[in-house]
Amino acid sequence: MPYKSRIKTLEESIRLLDNQLFQLEKTGSTDTKRLNELKETKDKYSKEVRLMIRAQWDNDHNTVDFGDDR
């Protein structure tokens, strides 16, 4: 369970970024710098979510090697 809270926080941040992007695009904003910053941040968070999900899976499915051919 160590990763679940971070994943949840990142997913909420991504949702908020999506809302900001939608609002800027809906208003026809020409602030491409701001749009690109939001998209880059969203991409960064999305990558981290994938890494956290993988780490959580690895943690949940951790096998112990007893080294004695059981």
Side-chain angles (χ1 to χ4, degrees):
M1 275 206 311
Y3 303 98
K4 288 184 181 181
S5 64
R6 179 67 179 154
I7 292 168
K8 185 175 181 177
T9 299
L10 287 166
E11 289 174 337
E12 178 63 19
S13 296
I14 291 168
R15 188 185 67 74
L16 292 172
L17 287 167
D18 276 336
N19 286 340
Q20 289 178 358
L21 284 164
F22 176 77
Q23 290 302 319
L24 284 172
E25 290 171 349
K26 183 174 125 179
T27 61
S29 175
T30 57
D31 188 353
T32 55
K33 182 180 178 190
R34 179 71 178 143
L35 286 167
N36 287 335
E37 287 172 352
L38 291 172
K39 288 176 183 180
E40 287 174 15
T41 302
K42 180 184 169 189
D43 185 49
K44 182 177 118 181
Y45 289 171
S46 295
K47 288 177 183 176
E48 188 175 346
V49 166
R50 287 191 299 274
L51 289 172
M52 288 286 158
I53 289 171
R54 176 59 192 252
Q56 179 68 54
W57 189 92
D58 289 345
N59 183 60
D60 291 347
H61 296 88
N62 193 9
T63 57
V64 178
D65 181 9
F66 292 105
D68 60 1
D69 299 326
R70 288 185 189 194

